[in-house]
Amino acid sequence: MSAHAAPKISVRGLEKSFDGKQVLNGLDLDIAEGESLVVIGGSGTGKSVLVKCILGLLRPEAGSIRIDGAETVGIGWAARQRLMRRIGMLFQGGALFDSLKVWENVAFGLIEGRGVERNAAQEVALSKLAAVGLGREVGELYPAELSGGMQKRVALARAIAAEPEIIFFDEPTTGLDPIMADVINDLILKCVRDLGATAVSITHDMVSTKKIADRIAMLHQGRIIWQGRKEEIDRSGNPFVDQFVHGRAEGPIAMEVRAL
Amino acid sequence: MIFSFLAAIGAGFLAFLAATGRLFLFVLSSLAALFRPPFYFRLLLRQVVEMGYFSLPVVGLTALFTGMVLALQSYVGFARFNAEGSVATVVVLSMTRELGPVIGGLMVAGRVGAAIAAEIGTMRVTDQIDALTTLSTDPFRYLVLPRLLAGLITLPFLVLVADVLGVFGGFLVGTYKLGFNPAGYLDQTHQFLETRDVVLGLVKASVFGFIVALMGCYQGYHSRGGAEGVGQATTHAVVSASVLILLSDYLLTQAFFAR
Ligand SMILES: Nc1ncnc2c1ncn2[C@@H]1O[C@H](COP(=O)(O)OP(=O)(O)OP(=O)(O)O)[C@@H](O)[C@H]1O
Ligand SMILES: [Mg+2]
């Protein structure tokens, strides 16, 4: 018997390719309940694809994804829908609904997914907007009327509006100024500490990583090549991790670029 | 040489079968969504207004001119064997049985089918459809079903208006230009028209409305690759809807009117 509790999310042997291009190649990853895991890795290594597979938005060719011990690959729509009520997701591009007002976007999961009454949902939405630094008047605007950073914060408010057990953040601080980025970091920490949520974040931002992570996992060439507690990352002994953390152009991760 | 030629045909045929299968699955998923609560009545209403009310000007105008041209052309033709008296009958039968539904369908394909494909396609490439799923909302129920139903129920009303305006166009040309007696023209219009002609024309319209909405949703739902992909989806939606409208028009006409 293992001394650890069973993982909240357990990924085994995950494989996903697009048009013959292998993106995930036998990926294994465990995420414990209530922890904040940050996934790092170069651009285009498949971090977003990994999260979309866990959510069931992409169908992997092989492998198993268990949430609370139950297999989720290939489950039916009704079971998927029940699962989604416990999960929040911040998409990399925001993915706000253009045809709905900002507050309706934030309240969407409450109203449509959980049947909360509109006025009550609006109050919740406005308080979540306030938590990401957006006032009541912003709630009445449409997403197209917001700046990129504001859209990101609205998307974040939408992801956490229903206080889910598991939250995925795909680049939550990209495109924000350093001060707002830190506010968002605090908010993510608050979700994990106060609500006891399990958080999986994807980021390139090492400052943010060091603040929000309990554990860090690095994705490279379709696998997790290193994982450990955040204190360990500076002495990982892994040249790939070192190159990434210090942002050096020279190292084992060769970027496919040619000099001008 | 000959083998590569045959292989090309075979590959094309297989791609065609795959596309047909995907479309069929898409229809099945939409139908399945019909039997799962909740039903988004407000969204249906919005689509009906968008598809029906806002298409009235373009469909009405094209129907009016079609009726006018029809009266002129059939007059010229019939005058050659002294059958000018049949102009009114030709106009009303052509409009109700054939031109009203087809012109209405094609106009709505250009106006609404394209808009549906562009909207749903944009939602696809910006992850909004995935976002719906993560918010426990079925995209088929929320996006596709209201549009399919709106197409099904809105087009008949639109085409009824088109029928009336087409006949009115014929009447204008007949009485002002071709010198028919107004009462006589209207008499001619009624004389050979059967309820069946109108009703079956409206059934056609309903099928065409479904086709337009289906192709818009299907192409949009499966679009990928950014703005360019959405543009392609829009084009495909209009072209495939137009072709399918004319094809199904032939099949329906044969089923309804041929004896
Ligand atoms: N829907 C798709 N169709 C085809 N290829 C895709 C699709 N989604 C992702 N890919 C490919 O999979 C690879 C991984 O993409 P992914 O979006 O997961 O990268 P990422 O690690 O999130 O990068 P970034 O940090 O830049 O967001 C990319 O090479 C991309 O081209
Ligand atoms: Mg990404």
Side-chain angles (χ1 to χ4, degrees):
Chain A
M1 287 294 284
S2 137
H4 297 284
K8 185 80 174 167
I9 302 174
S10 166
V11 180
R12 285 288 171 275
L14 198 65
E15 291 185 19
K16 177 74 194 168
S17 62
F18 292 102
D19 309 318
K21 192 175 108 213
Q22 197 79 25
V23 176
L24 301 179
N25 194 0
L27 182 142
D28 297 334
L29 182 64
D30 280 337
I31 302 161
E33 174 146 22
E35 81 168 337
S36 169
L37 176 82
V38 170
V39 178
I40 57 175
S43 193
T45 47
K47 305 179 297 295
S48 299
V49 169
L50 168 65
V51 167
K52 285 184 178 178
C53 284
I54 297 177
L55 287 164
L57 301 172
L58 290 175
R59 208 192 170 92
E61 281 101 42
S64 141
I65 297 165
R66 291 171 174 274
I67 296 182
D68 286 331
E71 181 62 50
T72 66
V73 174
I75 57 173
W77 169 257
R80 173 72 58 196
Q81 198 171 18
R82 250 177 281 126
L83 184 62
M84 287 301 186
R85 292 211 182 98
R86 299 160 47 203
I87 297 181
M89 164 78 184
L90 163 68
F91 285 87
Q92 188 168 358
L96 297 174
F97 305 126
D98 329 289
S99 59
L100 299 179
K101 287 179 186 167
V102 164
W103 80 261
E104 290 173 318
N105 263 285
V106 178
F108 194 93
L110 296 168
I111 296 173
E112 306 294 350
R114 289 171 188 73
V116 176
E117 194 259 330
R118 257 178 100 78
N119 287 336
Q122 183 170 15
E123 281 315 307
V124 176
L126 290 176
S127 74
K128 297 293 173 190
L129 282 173
V132 294
L134 297 171
R136 292 185 81 89
E137 66 290 347
V138 176
E140 290 300 317
L141 301 176
Y142 285 89
E145 297 167 313
L146 305 181
S147 76
M150 289 164 91
Q151 289 182 6
K152 187 124 248 175
R153 286 186 273 158
V154 173
L156 187 87
R158 184 174 74 178
I160 62 174
E163 308 196 342
E165 288 168 39
I166 307 171
I167 322 179
F168 295 91
F169 301 102
D170 196 345
E171 309 204 357
T173 54
T174 312
L176 300 181
D177 65 79
I179 300 170
M180 190 44 76
D182 204 48
V183 171
I184 297 302
N185 289 336
D186 283 334
L187 195 69
I188 292 172
L189 275 178
K190 195 161 151 10
C191 288
V192 178
R193 304 276 177 272
D194 298 0
L195 307 176
T198 307
V200 179
S201 317
I202 296 173
T203 183
H204 297 130
D205 175 354
M206 291 317 293
V207 179
S208 170
T209 303
K210 291 204 171 149
K211 178 143 185 185
I212 64 178
D214 293 326
R215 238 155 41 82
I216 301 174
M218 172 142 174
L219 180 61
H220 183 64
Q221 292 188 337
R223 292 165 197 261
I224 300 296
I225 55 161
W226 182 85
Q227 53 182 314
R229 304 200 55 76
K230 77 170 153 194
E231 303 80 41
E232 296 162 5
I233 195 156
D234 290 321
R235 40 190 170 79
S236 65
N238 185 315
F240 292 90
V241 176
D242 279 344
Q243 186 190 349
F244 190 87
V245 170
H246 297 111
R248 286 192 288 255
E250 279 84 42
I253 308 175
M255 289 284 163
E256 287 184 9
V257 290
R258 254 183 297 167
L260 283 175
Chain B
M1 169 64 195
I2 183 95
F3 280 114
S4 65
F5 177 65
L6 288 179
I9 293 183
F13 186 64
L14 286 182
F16 171 75
L17 285 186
T20 314
R22 265 200 307 276
L23 183 61
F24 193 66
L25 280 181
F26 191 83
V27 175
L28 281 187
S29 308
S30 318
L31 290 183
L34 193 54
F35 298 104
R36 284 195 301 259
F39 185 72
Y40 295 101
F41 193 74
R42 269 182 357 149
L43 295 179
L44 174 64
L45 210 63
R46 191 197 292 176
Q47 289 303 322
V48 167
V49 171
E50 176 62 33
M51 230 184 232
Y53 183 71
F54 291 115
S55 299
L56 272 177
V58 55
V59 171
L61 273 179
T62 42
L64 185 73
F65 290 126
T66 306
M68 291 165 69
V69 166
L70 208 54
L72 269 184
Q73 289 282 26
S74 51
Y75 183 82
V76 173
F78 287 168
R80 296 187 183 156
F81 45 94
N82 301 322
E84 300 96 322
S86 305
V87 167
T89 310
V90 167
V91 169
V92 72
L93 289 189
S94 316
M95 278 315 297
T96 54
R97 289 167 64 140
E98 192 59 44
L99 290 172
V102 169
I103 288 189
L106 291 179
M107 284 298 137
V108 171
R111 214 193 78 84
V112 180
I116 291 177
E119 187 180 0
I120 295 189
T122 305
M123 292 187 74
R124 163 60 73 203
V125 302
T126 56
D127 285 341
Q128 292 180 50
I129 293 186
D130 284 345
L132 276 177
T133 309
T134 65
L135 295 166
S136 306
T137 303
D138 181 355
F140 274 92
R141 250 186 299 143
Y142 190 81
L143 293 175
V144 178
L145 198 58
R147 287 167 173 79
L148 293 184
L149 292 181
L152 210 58
I153 58 185
T154 313
L155 254 249
F157 290 100
L158 210 53
V159 166
L160 198 61
V161 174
D163 287 350
V164 171
L165 282 173
V167 169
F168 178 65
F171 174 79
L172 284 183
V173 170
T175 52
Y176 284 100
K177 191 152 173 51
L178 305 175
F180 283 96
N181 166 317
Y185 187 95
L186 286 181
D187 229 28
Q188 272 284 327
T189 300
H190 285 145
Q191 202 175 359
F192 295 106
L193 183 68
E194 294 174 22
T195 317
R196 195 180 128 81
D197 296 322
V198 178
V199 170
L200 292 182
L202 298 185
V203 172
K204 274 186 179 178
S206 198
V207 173
F208 298 166
F210 183 79
I211 289 175
V212 167
L214 177 66
M215 293 327 287
C217 291
Y218 174 78
Q219 297 290 355
Y221 197 85
H222 289 288
S223 66
R224 58 222 217 94
E228 191 188 349
V230 175
Q232 274 175 5
T234 309
T235 311
H236 287 161
V238 176
V239 172
S240 58
S242 307
V243 171
L244 282 177
I245 283 175
L246 294 174
L247 176 74
S248 61
D249 181 48
Y250 176 76
L251 296 177
L252 288 172
T253 308
Q254 186 164 24
F256 290 158
F257 297 124
R259 288 164 206 255

